[in-house]
Amino acid sequence: NASLSGILQHPDGTVLKQLQPPPRGPREQDFYNKVYDSDCCDSVLLELREYLPKYFGVWSPPTAPNDTYLKLEDVTRKFNKPCIMDVKIGQKSYDPYASAEKIQQQVSKYPLMEEIGFLVLGMRVYHVSSDSYEMQNQHYGRSLTKETIKDGISKFFHNGYCLRKDAVAASIRKIEKILEWFEGQQQLNFYASSLLFVYEGSCQATTVRLSDVTLAEKRGMPKGLLSGGDILEYNNNIHVINSTENGKIEASVGKGLSKFYALHKKAYSKRHHSQISLKVENLEQGNMWKSSTCITQEHLNGNVIPQLEKVFCHMPAEIKESAHVEVRMIDFAHVFPSNTRDEGYIYGLKNLITVLKDILDN
C-alpha cells in the first residue's frame, strides 16, 4: 500500500521511489549518491544525512530492468498509526533553469509561495474517536491563505479530541535543527523539495501505558469497576489505578516500556525510563497532575481508550516523554550546487516555525 503517490512499500522496511524522467530522476539519484558516498568526509553532507531518509542505492525489478527505483528508509514504519504531512519548502518551487512557462505554471499553482514560503502538499491524520484517517490532498494546501494557514496546519495536529501540542513542540525542535544546517551551508540550494512530518497518532502506542497494578491494588478496586479484569488486560498495555479519596480513577505513566518504545530501546535506556517514572511519582503528589488526569468512574465503562486519549492530550508537558516525531527532508529532483545560502528555503523554514509557534501559543 503506497502511503504517498509513486512510493511503493517494500516488506524489508524500505520504500521504493520510481526515478522521474531525466533530468529530474538522475539529478535526485546523484544527490543521494553524493550525500551517502562512503568516501564522503564533508561535514556539511555528513550532517545532512541526519535529516534525510537513509538511502540504500537503486533497485530495478527483474522483470523491468530499465525501471529504476531509489531504495529509501520508510520513515513511517516504526509508527503504529502514523500521521503524515508533506510540506513543500521555499519561496520558489521552480529551479533557476526553469523555462518561462514552467515558472508560470508553478507560480499559478500557488501564487502565495513567495509570501508564505511553504505549501502543504497533503496530509493524513489519525482520528482516535473514529479509528480512521482523515486525508487532505494538494487542493487543500493550495486553498490556504495567510489568514487560514495557521488553522490549516493545526488540522494536522488535531486528532478529533485535542490538539497534540506535544507533537507541535517536537516538530518545531526538529525544524530548528534543519534550519541551523541551512544557515551554516553554502553549497546546495533546494527547490520544490519537501519536509515529511510523521508523528504517532495512536494512544496505545505512545506513553499512555499506565502503571502496572499489583495484585494487592487490584483487590482494593471498588466492585463493579472491572468486568472480569479485562480493562487491566487490554492489549497488555493499559492498567488502571484506584484513587479512593475521591472515587475517581487516576492514570499514571507506566514504568515499563510501552509497545512503541520497545522498538527504541537504544534511544531510551532503562535508566532514562526510571528517571521519567520518578518524575511522574513526584508530580503525582501535586494537584497539577491530579486535576489534569482524573477520569470519572462512569466515563470508564466501555469507553477506556477515548478517555485515556484525553488523559494523554492533557498530560503536563513535564511528564510526556518528548513525542516521537520525525521530520525529514525529501524530494531532491531540483537540488543544485551553489555558493550562497539558500535564502528561499531558510525563509520558508522560519515562517513555518513561526506558524507552529503560533499554534502552540494559542
Side-chain angles (χ1 to χ4, degrees):
N1 59 340
S3 55
L4 298 160
S5 59
I7 302 279
L8 303 171
Q9 280 177 314
H10 192 291
D12 68 3
T14 61
V15 290
L16 298 168
K17 179 182 181 180
Q18 188 158 20
L19 220 57
Q20 298 172 66
R24 291 174 298 162
R27 200 185 291 131
E28 181 161 37
Q29 186 182 344
D30 289 347
F31 169 80
Y32 274 113
N33 284 337
K34 183 179 176 181
V35 175
Y36 283 95
D37 184 345
S38 56
D39 296 330
C40 174
C41 53
D42 178 340
S43 61
V44 168
L45 298 184
L46 291 173
E47 190 195 332
L48 178 59
R49 291 179 187 179
E50 289 176 44
Y51 312 122
L52 310 185
K54 287 191 186 70
Y55 172 63
F56 302 101
V58 291
W59 177 87
S60 295
T63 49
N66 294 331
D67 287 356
T68 306
Y69 293 81
L70 298 171
K71 206 167 185 317
L72 300 165
E73 171 190 7
D74 179 359
V75 180
T76 70
R77 182 180 169 90
K78 57 188 161 216
F79 294 86
N80 182 7
K81 299 288 184 188
C83 299
I84 305 169
M85 177 170 65
D86 182 338
V87 183
K88 188 190 282 192
I89 307 287
Q91 288 178 283
K92 296 179 169 69
S93 55
Y94 52 87
D95 67 49
Y97 304 94
S99 65
E101 69 237 87
K102 178 68 179 176
I103 293 173
Q104 177 54 46
Q105 176 220 358
Q106 283 300 320
V107 171
S108 64
K109 271 188 186 173
Y110 193 57
L112 291 168
M113 198 74 186
E114 192 84 31
E115 195 178 353
I116 292 177
F118 61 86
L119 166 63
V120 176
L121 293 179
M123 63 172 77
R124 50 176 279 196
V125 185
Y126 178 68
H127 279 199
V128 182
S129 40
S130 55
D131 185 27
S132 62
Y133 282 94
E134 185 186 338
M135 319 282 259
Q136 301 292 348
N137 64 15
Q138 53 188 333
H139 299 293
Y140 173 79
R142 287 191 211 146
S143 73
L144 299 175
T145 63
K146 259 174 59 173
E147 289 69 44
T148 59
I149 192 79
K150 181 184 153 191
D151 288 342
I153 294 266
S154 68
K155 193 182 191 76
F156 173 61
F157 295 99
H158 206 288
N159 64 12
Y161 274 117
C162 65
L163 183 67
R164 285 285 305 275
K165 288 196 169 189
D166 59 321
V168 181
S171 297
I172 292 169
R173 288 194 295 273
K174 299 265 180 176
I175 302 168
E176 283 173 339
K177 292 285 292 174
I178 294 171
L179 175 59
E180 268 178 49
W181 181 84
F182 269 91
E183 291 185 322
Q185 70 90 21
Q186 300 197 347
Q187 53 180 287
L188 292 170
N189 282 5
F190 295 74
Y191 301 90
S193 183
S194 287
L195 287 183
L196 186 71
F197 290 78
V198 191
Y199 72 88
E200 180 55 72
S202 145
C203 72
Q204 280 132 269
T206 40
T207 37
V208 194
R209 168 170 177 146
L210 305 179
S211 281
D212 293 31
V213 179
T214 64
L215 283 167
E217 284 172 304
K218 280 187 197 182
R219 288 197 201 100
M221 282 280 182
K223 281 191 169 56
L225 187 64
L226 298 177
S227 47
D230 43 20
I231 294 178
L232 288 168
E233 298 313 316
Y234 192 99
N235 238 6
N236 295 327
N237 193 339
I238 286 175
H239 301 287
V240 170
I241 305 165
N242 176 27
S243 157
T244 44
E245 73 275 10
N246 54 11
K248 292 186 175 180
I249 290 174
E250 281 176 27
S252 153
V253 179
K255 297 175 186 65
L257 287 167
S258 68
K259 173 183 154 199
F260 178 60
Y261 281 106
L263 300 172
H264 295 273
K265 282 184 177 142
K266 287 192 198 79
Y268 290 86
S269 67
K270 293 240 166 39
R271 195 188 48 162
H272 179 71
H273 249 270
S274 57
Q275 283 168 349
I276 287 164
S277 301
L278 288 170
K279 203 169 187 183
V280 169
E281 273 143 28
N282 296 342
L283 276 163
E284 234 174 25
Q285 322 290 309
N287 294 331
M288 180 174 92
W289 169 244
K290 287 195 168 143
S291 64
S292 64
T293 61
C294 285
I295 317 171
T296 56
Q297 187 173 326
E298 56 272 20
H299 273 137
L300 264 163
N301 297 339
N303 198 12
V304 181
I305 299 300
Q307 290 305 317
L308 290 178
E309 181 61 22
K310 284 187 176 169
V311 169
F312 179 60
C313 293
H314 300 126
M315 224 180 264
E318 303 90 301
I319 288 168
K320 281 183 209 174
E321 295 156 61
S322 61
H324 192 63
V325 172
E326 287 286 358
V327 179
R328 302 288 183 96
M329 296 168 62
I330 57 168
D331 295 341
F332 305 112
H334 303 274
V335 178
F336 294 88
S338 163
N339 48 21
T340 61
R341 290 203 324 173
D342 190 340
E343 296 298 349
Y345 200 109
I346 288 172
Y347 175 91
L349 289 180
K350 285 182 171 173
N351 207 28
L352 182 53
I353 290 169
T354 300
V355 170
L356 291 171
K357 284 184 170 169
D358 209 9
I359 291 169
L360 208 50
D361 291 343
N362 276 16

